[in-house]
Structures are given as C-alpha cells and as structure tokens.
C-alpha cells in the first residue's frame, strides 16, 4: 500500500459536534494510504456520508502488535476510551474518535487534524510548545523537562511551554495513565491543542510516561480541581461515563481511573515521577 497521500481535511470542522460523530460512525471509509512511520497499522482515509466528507485515521485491530504489558483489550478500545474521558472533562483535547467496522475489520476511526506536530525543530500555528535551550534554566514562559543529547558530546535543556492547554493535557494524561506522551503526539490547529495516539493508556499499574512534567508537584489549578470533581461523579457506579468505559476497558482499569482521580483530588497537586518506570518516553519527540 502506498504511503499516505494527503487529501483536504474535508468539509467538516471539529466544532460540528454530533455531525462529526455521525460521519465517523456511519460514513463510508476509503483508504488513501498508510502512514508508515507508525509501529502499528495506521491508515489514512476519507470518510463520506450524506454529502459530507472529511479526512480521518483508521487503525484496525487486525494491525495491532501485541504488547506484553497491555495484555487486555485493544489499542483501538483504549483510544476511544481516552476520547470519552477527554469529552467528559469538557476540554476537547482528543479529536473525535469512534470504534467501528472498516475495510480491515473493527478499529478506531479518528478525525484527521491538519495541524503542525510539536517538536523542538519546528513549530507553527499558535507558538512553540517544545524547545531546546542552552543553559540549565528554562527561562520565562517555559518548564524544564530534562537534558537531551544533541550530538558531538553536547547537551541542551529540553523544555515545554508553560501553556494552559498543555497543563490541561497533563491532567488528562495523569487520569488516563498515558504511557506514551511524546512531542509528536501533540498537534495544534487554529490555536487548539490536540493529543493523539492513546493506545497505551488506562493500565491498572502506574505507567505515566510524558514530556509534560513541568508542573510536577505543583498545585492543580482551580479549573482542574473542578474538572476532576466532575470526573469523580461521572465515574460513580452506573454513571454514563463509567458504563461507557466499562465497554472499552476492564473493570480493574475503570477502578484504577477512579483511584487516580481520587488521588489527584486528595493531593491537590500534579503527580511526580514514581521512579519505578521510565518517566519520559523514548524517543521523546
């Protein structure tokens, strides 16, 4: 299959809400190519329904590689679960995502975001989110991540922006236990921030690996506390969010989400690296 040939994002915007979900769920998928950089099958598609069309990503379960440390469920189910939690926060940090049948069987289908990837070398559309800087301090408006090897025996400080959108995403990642928050999984489009690639999330064991450690140990914002309180209510037994997650991840994993939300509310702070698992994914960007 050829590498993905980009097509226009389509005549549907993310703000179209339920229309987008109907399009992704009921529309006809046409495979345009394969994104070969991905470790699992990622197909770039168009989806059309009732005169509407958009670009999307389709990740069939049949193309997933088994992971020893994520033995339950599928990557596709966890991607959809991450979207459901994101929607429950009201922050809209994950593009519209559904579980559906497709040309290669059941899989995840997600609206394509025609944004710019965030990396230390190039960033557009709303400002840089990641950067490499000289010296040992991040500077005003930045948060330190750690030192990176930049070749020829030199190191530079990798930093991320002190940005409220990233801070919200850091909270979401702590809730869903994201084990792979890389720079390439951050997209910006028209000033909005989106996180993608949530296949390794929701493990019952602590596996948080992220670039967004800049607020580690700092107090949560009042907004974040309010969101977490709402999530706590939404995760109560028989609540709609809890029931939906129960269709996508295991009961133990749903319980672990509840426990993480409770722990964040109890501490009132952003989590800190635990030390039993690498804190930063590799490669970081």
């Amino acid at each position: 299959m050829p590498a993905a040939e980009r097509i226009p994002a389509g005549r549907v915007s993310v703000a179209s809400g339920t229309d987008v979900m109907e399009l992704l769920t009921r529309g006809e998928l046409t495979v345009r190519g394969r994104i070969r950089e991905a470790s699992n099958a990622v197909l770039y598609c168009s989806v059309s329904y009732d005169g509407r069309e958009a670009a999307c990503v389709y990740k069939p379960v049949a193309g997933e590689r088994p992971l020893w440390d994520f033995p339950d469920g599928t990557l596709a189910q966890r991607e959809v679960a991450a979207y459901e939690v994101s929607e429950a926060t009201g922050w809209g940090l994950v593009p519209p995502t559904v579980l559906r049948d497709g040309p290669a069987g059941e899989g995840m289908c997600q609206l394509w975001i025609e944004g710019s990837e965030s990396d230390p070398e190039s960033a557009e559309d709303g400002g840089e989110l990641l950067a490499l800087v000289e010296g040992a301090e991040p500077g005003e408006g930045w948060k330190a991540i750690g030192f990176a090897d930049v070749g020829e025996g030199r190191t530079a400080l990798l930093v991320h922006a002190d940005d409220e959108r990233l801070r919200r995403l850091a909270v979401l990642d702590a809730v869903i236990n994201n084990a792979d928050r890389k720079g390439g999984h951050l997209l910006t489009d028209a000033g909005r921030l989106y996180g993608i690639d949530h296949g390794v999330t929701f493990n019952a064991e602590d596996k948080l690996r992220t670039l967004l450690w800049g607020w580690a140990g700092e107090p949560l914002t009042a907004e974040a506390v309010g969101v977490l309180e709402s999530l706590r209510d939404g995760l109560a037994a028989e609540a709609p969010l809890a029931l939906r997650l129960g269709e996508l991840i295991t009961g133990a994993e749903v319980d672990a989400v509840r426990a993480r939300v409770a722990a964040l509310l109890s501490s009132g702070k952003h989590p800190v690296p635990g030390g039993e698992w690498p804190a930063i994914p590799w490669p970081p960007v």
Side-chain angles (χ1 to χ4, degrees):
M1 182 175 292
E5 178 183 352
R6 295 290 184 262
I7 62 174
R11 294 182 288 276
V12 174
S13 68
V14 176
S16 299
T18 57
D19 288 344
V20 170
M21 298 302 287
E22 181 182 50
L23 175 61
L24 292 174
T25 302
R26 305 181 66 179
E28 180 181 358
L29 284 175
T30 301
V31 177
R32 303 291 183 176
R34 181 171 181 170
I35 301 175
R36 297 197 178 278
E37 300 84 13
S39 56
N40 297 281
V42 179
L43 304 179
Y44 182 72
C45 303
S46 62
V47 58
S48 58
Y49 178 74
D50 196 23
R52 292 169 290 151
E53 183 179 32
C56 63
V57 172
Y58 164 53
K59 299 181 182 180
V61 171
E64 296 180 3
R65 297 181 180 179
L67 298 173
W68 67 267
D69 53 343
F70 284 81
D72 300 313
T74 65
L75 303 181
Q77 289 172 310
R78 289 190 285 271
E79 293 247 30
V80 176
Y83 168 73
E84 296 288 352
V85 175
S86 170
E87 287 300 284
T89 67
W91 287 332
L93 292 168
V94 178
T97 310
V98 301
L99 194 67
R100 57 161 293 170
D101 195 25
E106 186 178 68
M108 177 276 269
C109 184
Q110 184 176 84
L111 187 70
W112 178 266
I113 301 298
E114 197 66 58
S116 57
E117 289 189 5
S118 299
D119 63 65
E121 303 301 327
S122 64
E124 305 169 4
D125 189 53
E128 288 183 278
L129 297 178
L130 299 172
L132 288 168
V133 300
E134 300 290 340
E137 297 298 328
E140 185 176 357
W142 296 94
K143 292 285 190 177
I145 301 169
F147 288 96
D149 184 355
V150 294
E152 299 180 353
R154 298 183 301 112
T155 60
L157 185 63
L158 181 61
V159 299
H160 67 68
D162 188 2
D163 185 303
E164 67 175 8
R165 300 170 301 171
L166 287 180
R167 191 165 190 171
R168 290 168 177 166
L169 190 59
V171 174
L172 176 65
D173 282 345
V175 170
I176 67 176
N177 198 18
N178 193 348
D180 196 32
R181 176 59 73 207
K182 297 176 180 176
H185 298 168
L186 305 174
L187 300 176
T188 56
D189 181 50
R192 290 192 62 174
L193 172 72
Y194 297 97
I196 61 170
D197 286 351
H198 296 105
V200 286
T201 49
F202 293 102
N203 200 297
E205 298 180 9
D206 181 16
K207 293 185 181 291
L208 183 60
R209 289 189 297 180
T210 177
L211 288 179
L212 306 180
W213 287 116
W215 298 281
E218 293 187 14
L220 296 165
T221 65
E223 178 194 43
V225 170
V227 165
L228 290 167
E229 289 173 342
S230 178
L231 283 179
R232 179 184 59 197
D233 296 340
L235 290 165
E238 304 305 315
L241 178 59
L243 293 175
R244 178 57 177 148
L245 290 181
E247 299 170 350
L248 298 165
I249 58 178
T250 69
E253 289 168 336
V254 175
D255 287 341
V257 177
R258 294 188 182 103
R260 287 192 292 271
V261 170
L264 287 166
L265 286 170
S266 177
S267 71
K269 297 179 180 180
H270 286 268
V272 298
E276 297 181 1
W277 190 259
I280 297 176
W282 184 262
V285 293

